Amino acid sequence: MSEIMISINNIIKTYRSMGDEVQALKGVSLSIKKGESVSVMGHSGSGKSTLLSIIGALNPPTSGKIEIDGIDLYSLSQEKRADFRREYLGFVFQQFQLIPYLTAHENVMLPLTTTRRSNKEKQEMAKEALVRVGLGNKLNRLPNQLSGGEQERVAIARAIVNEPPLILADEPTGSLDTKTGDEIMALFQKLNEEGLTVLMVTHNPDNVKYLSRTIMMKDGRLLNHDEQLITTMNNTIL
Amino acid sequence: MNLFQIAFNNIKRRKVKMVFLALGLIVGVTTAVAFLSIIESMTVDLGDRIDEFGANIVILPRSEGQEVHYGSTLISNISFDIEKLTLEDIPKIYESSVAEYINIVSPKLVGAVDINNQKSLLVGVETQKEFIQKPWFSLQEPLKEGNSIVDLALMEIPDDGIILGTSAAEALKLKKGDEVSINNRSFKVFGLLKKLGSEEDGLIYANLTAVQQLLDRPGELSMIEVSAYCNACPVEEIAMGLEEAIPHGRGIPLRQAALFREETISQFSTFGYALSGMVLLIAALVVLITMLSSVNERTREIGIFRAIGFRQGHILQIIFLEVGIVSITGGIVGFGLGSLAAKYAGPYLAQLQGDIPLRPELLLPAVLLSTGLAIIASAYPALKAARLNPAEAIRFI
Ligand SMILES: Nc1ncnc2c1ncn2[C@@H]1O[C@H](COP(=O)(O)OP(=O)(O)OP(=O)(O)O)[C@@H](O)[C@H]1O
Ligand SMILES: [Mg+2]
């Protein structure tokens, strides 16, 4: 088994909309090992979400190659890519993105919906995931009956219910207060210690201490080591 | 948790939209079922009428260049070289080559008479034969024996009794039991016929012998109405056989009434199909628009589904399941309402006498129609949903 979870080689992503061209990624190469937890930082518009969505098998790059666990994502068909997302990836979004008409338990069960498991097994797995994020007692609440932090926990439970090896999170603490944000980061740290690889976009430098490595982005590129050092120093001074 | 539950939950959440969608389909299916039921009943009714008229033949005296109308106000009997029909012609019918087909033979004498200074048409019939031949004749105030109505054909009509059609009764202002003088002879109104909607409403019926005496034409007949046993038998051939037996008579198959009715039905069904088609088209548009807006509202949700590993096929399944559930319900309700509409509005729309029966065999086609239509109309919204770019869908939130 390979040690590498994510391998990205010279990815370029150009968005075209109404004659306008935006190069969101200008040649990004990156390698992340299994068991790492990595934060991606950078200014707004630097291409963080774009990178995450490409790694998330949701957004084909204009050129370049990306492999996850040795699988070349964009050589897969649309439907196979959906299967890949289901089996390999857990997404956590900033706005939680829960389905409002489903209970916490049902939201967590969603990724299992299209798998061949008995209903009972699905329910058990979802319940277990909710217990793991500390929400074992709020199974039947609808999202609007939960606090922001609790909703985020449900979203995390949904991301891990299928036991994927890789979690992708885009500003998961962006809409939470500091205390709740810290709790959520501690949860990610715990999950990482349990063996999951975590890749997280964040604006909050305080989050960095929960993760093993930080990548800085600027204008569609990754900053190299020296540049990163300077930026990190600047951040520390400020 | 499965796709069905997701679809079902979504229907519950978007009740107003789904009710609207179902209503569109219900109106469409109701219209189609109602018209189909009515048209079917009319066709059955036509079949019955062809049974009544189809194999009937009227024998009239052969006359050169002279038309004799049955039911018109004037029957010309002033003719020198016409050999008249008489009661002696009746046995010839039973001896003819087509005797085996003959069921009822009803001789008639028709004459214009003065009643209360009004010209009226008096028809002399052998009442039992005439009324067996025309089972759709019945009295406005039928005679009852216990609880059951005595059939008109079984009644003994007295020699001085007359039976009036509705228009005749109206024109002469006569009602049951009235005494009336016809050509200086006194008659009594035995009963009034129920409205038939045909020219027969204008006639006055009396016993054949009484009319022959009254008109001073003993033994004489204006026409002989013959009904044959079968529906499918060759009426034209029977008519020819009768003409052979009675050379001075002319056999005319009576089919016009049925043909006229057929014309009405075909016009009505064209109208019915056109209207149903239009309503169904509108229903399809309602489905299309409702589902498009539903899909647009759910962009984010569909994006999430796709992101967490739902295939495009799964999204299609969810949408079609929703549409399926709603449209099956719509089909069943539409069938129910359509049947009710046919039952209550049908007789009025199609001028049918009888009841329009419930047609359970239309339930399945109604459901298929509703579902098929809904699925076709929601194909585009469903594809749109499935092809949604998940990265786009969750980007701006
Ligand atoms: N679908 C798209 N169509 C056109 N342009 C896009 C699209 N997605 C992103 N962009 C552009 O690409 C660039 C990078 O966007 P991206 O969302 O990756 O930035 P980001 O680093 O996540 O920013 P933020 O911190 O604000 O979330 C931006 O200039 C953005 O406008
Ligand atoms: Mg972003």
Side-chain angles (χ1 to χ4, degrees):
Chain A
M1 241 194 9
S2 152
E3 284 293 292
I4 303 297
M5 178 57 85
I6 304 172
S7 154
I8 295 175
N9 196 355
N10 199 22
I11 282 210
I12 294 174
K13 177 69 187 185
T14 308
Y15 290 113
R16 283 187 189 82
S17 54
M18 291 182 271
D20 242 22
E21 278 199 10
V22 179
Q23 202 165 43
L25 297 179
K26 300 170 177 163
V28 172
S29 298
L30 175 67
S31 169
I32 293 174
K33 290 200 209 63
K34 285 181 180 163
E36 270 195 289
S37 61
V38 179
S39 65
V40 183
M41 295 187 75
H43 293 296
S44 183
S46 57
K48 305 180 297 290
S49 295
T50 301
L51 180 63
L52 208 69
S53 68
I54 289 174
I55 296 171
L58 290 168
N59 195 5
T62 311
S63 73
K65 188 167 171 179
I66 163 161
E67 285 182 358
I68 293 183
D69 203 15
I71 298 167
D72 183 354
L73 288 190
Y74 294 96
S75 69
L76 299 174
S77 71
Q78 269 275 3
E79 302 291 65
K80 284 273 182 274
R81 222 153 49 226
D83 294 348
F84 174 86
R85 286 195 292 272
R86 192 183 64 207
E87 300 302 328
Y88 271 82
L89 305 177
F91 284 96
V92 181
F93 311 95
Q94 178 178 359
Q95 293 295 335
F96 326 135
Q97 308 287 16
L98 301 176
I99 307 294
Y101 55 90
L102 298 179
T103 64
H105 194 212
E106 289 167 336
N107 262 290
V108 176
M109 256 192 280
L110 270 183
L112 306 173
T113 307
T114 57
T115 62
R116 280 183 214 282
R117 288 193 176 89
S118 74
N119 219 26
K120 197 165 175 282
E121 201 179 344
K122 289 177 190 175
Q123 285 178 351
E124 280 305 313
M125 286 173 76
K127 194 174 167 189
E128 215 172 280
L130 277 163
V131 170
R132 260 173 99 187
V133 300
L135 270 184
N137 55 344
K138 294 190 172 159
L139 261 55
N140 295 318
R141 300 276 189 92
L142 288 172
N144 63 10
Q145 298 167 330
L146 293 169
S147 74
E150 287 169 336
Q151 290 185 46
E152 187 70 346
R153 283 169 196 273
V154 175
I156 294 170
R158 185 178 67 190
I160 61 172
V161 70
N162 224 359
E163 315 231 321
L166 176 61
I167 299 277
L168 301 174
D170 197 346
E171 298 185 44
T173 60
S175 53
L176 301 175
D177 61 57
T178 321
K179 184 172 164 287
T180 321
D182 280 342
E183 286 170 16
I184 295 295
M185 286 311 296
L187 178 58
F188 274 111
Q189 195 176 29
K190 186 187 109 182
L191 293 172
N192 176 239
E193 278 159 12
E194 288 169 9
L196 274 116
T197 308
V198 176
L199 180 63
M200 177 186 299
V201 170
T202 179
H203 276 297
N204 188 350
D206 290 343
N207 287 346
V208 172
K209 61 175 180 283
Y210 294 95
L211 305 158
S212 56
R213 176 153 70 113
T214 303
I215 293 167
M216 302 294 280
M217 285 191 75
K218 195 181 177 189
D219 293 337
R221 283 184 228 277
L222 299 190
L223 296 186
N224 61 35
H225 261 303
D226 294 347
E227 289 169 321
Q228 268 202 43
L229 214 62
I230 295 163
T231 321
T232 319
M233 272 163 59
N234 279 345
N235 274 341
T236 333
I237 294 161
L238 283 171
Chain B
M1 195 72 185
N2 52 40
L3 294 179
F4 184 84
Q5 275 167 288
I6 292 176
F8 195 74
N9 268 309
N10 196 50
I11 291 174
K12 274 205 312 209
R13 194 174 59 128
R14 286 162 215 273
K15 280 195 198 81
V16 176
K17 248 199 182 90
M18 292 300 158
V19 164
F20 188 65
L21 197 155
L23 272 181
L25 290 167
I26 287 170
V27 171
V29 174
T30 301
T31 315
V33 168
F35 272 108
L36 277 178
S37 301
I38 294 171
I39 291 165
E40 168 71 15
S41 292
M42 285 174 88
T43 314
V44 169
D45 182 72
L46 173 72
D48 290 351
R49 287 193 193 215
I50 287 178
D51 287 351
E52 288 167 6
F53 289 110
N56 281 15
I57 295 148
V58 175
I59 304 172
L60 295 172
R62 196 175 280 284
S63 56
E64 299 302 323
Q66 255 185 320
E67 281 301 317
V68 181
H69 295 286
Y70 170 44
S72 77
T73 38
L74 200 117
I75 288 214
S76 172
N77 54 10
I78 310 162
S79 180
F80 301 101
D81 45 5
I82 289 180
E83 191 180 338
K84 287 167 182 142
L85 292 171
T86 66
L87 282 172
E88 277 153 36
D89 292 322
I90 304 285
K92 293 181 194 158
I93 293 172
Y94 292 105
E95 289 155 15
S96 71
S97 58
V98 291
E100 53 173 322
Y101 295 121
I102 305 306
N103 179 13
I104 300 161
V105 177
S106 173
K108 298 181 183 47
L109 179 64
V110 184
V113 290
D114 263 331
I115 304 177
N116 297 346
N117 288 327
Q118 285 192 50
K119 278 260 186 215
S120 304
L121 215 52
L122 185 64
V123 186
V125 291
E126 290 182 6
T127 55
Q128 295 188 338
K129 285 182 179 158
E130 175 72 5
F131 296 137
I132 286 174
Q133 202 172 47
K134 302 197 170 155
W136 59 94
F137 277 32
S138 60
L139 290 179
Q140 285 175 14
E141 298 168 40
L143 206 68
K144 286 196 177 179
E145 210 166 69
N147 273 333
S148 57
I149 293 169
V150 179
D151 201 290
L152 183 56
L154 299 177
M155 286 183 189
E156 199 69 53
I157 316 282
D159 260 358
D160 65 342
I162 55 173
I163 294 177
L164 288 85
T166 40
S167 338
E170 250 167 58
L172 297 169
K173 297 188 184 65
L174 287 176
K175 50 188 194 307
K176 186 176 172 176
D178 283 353
E179 299 263 354
V180 66
S181 161
I182 306 176
N183 293 4
N184 297 325
R185 221 178 116 171
S186 158
F187 284 85
K188 196 171 170 186
V189 178
F190 180 80
L192 307 183
L193 289 175
K194 277 193 189 154
K195 190 172 171 59
L196 295 160
S198 65
E199 345 180 278
E200 285 152 328
D201 285 336
L203 299 178
I204 303 166
Y205 292 88
N207 276 304
L208 180 60
T209 38
V211 175
Q212 284 171 338
Q213 280 171 22
L214 187 73
L215 298 176
D216 198 18
R217 290 156 68 182
E220 209 179 292
L221 298 175
S222 312
M223 64 180 84
I224 306 168
E225 203 169 339
V226 178
S227 62
Y229 267 120
C230 56
N231 301 327
C233 46
V235 195
E236 279 75 19
E237 270 173 46
I238 299 174
M240 272 160 62
L242 291 174
E243 284 181 1
E244 262 169 44
I246 309 171
H248 55 283
R250 197 153 61 100
I252 301 167
L254 261 190
R255 245 189 185 157
Q256 280 75 354
L259 287 178
F260 176 71
R261 182 80 183 159
E262 204 165 47
E263 175 73 4
T264 316
I265 293 179
S266 101
Q267 275 170 11
F268 184 80
S269 30
T270 311
F271 167 74
Y273 289 130
L275 189 70
S276 304
M278 239 155 68
V279 176
L280 286 171
L281 194 73
I282 293 169
L285 277 176
V286 168
V287 173
L288 177 71
I289 290 164
T290 313
M291 286 315 286
L292 261 184
S293 101
S294 169
V295 163
N296 283 339
E297 270 174 26
R298 291 153 79 186
T299 303
R300 188 180 83 124
E301 182 182 317
I302 293 164
I304 299 168
F305 285 154
R306 295 280 284 128
I308 63 177
F310 282 49
R311 290 176 160 214
Q312 293 191 342
H314 294 131
I315 305 294
L316 285 180
Q317 277 182 53
I318 291 175
I319 305 250
F320 283 138
L321 270 172
E322 275 173 36
V323 171
I325 295 168
V326 174
S327 60
I328 287 173
T329 315
I332 294 172
V333 174
F335 165 78
L337 290 181
S339 303
L340 285 181
K343 188 175 158 72
Y344 291 108
Y348 166 76
L349 276 177
Q351 279 130 41
L352 285 172
Q353 308 289 314
D355 228 26
I356 295 185
L358 186 74
R359 298 185 55 213
E361 77 274 12
L362 277 185
L363 176 60
L364 185 66
V367 170
L368 289 180
L369 174 72
S370 173
T371 320
L373 191 78
I375 286 190
I376 291 171
S378 54
Y380 171 67
L383 277 176
K384 196 179 162 191
R387 296 220 176 118
L388 212 106
N389 180 350
E392 261 326 73
I394 46 184
R395 196 172 100 85
F396 295 101
I397 313 136

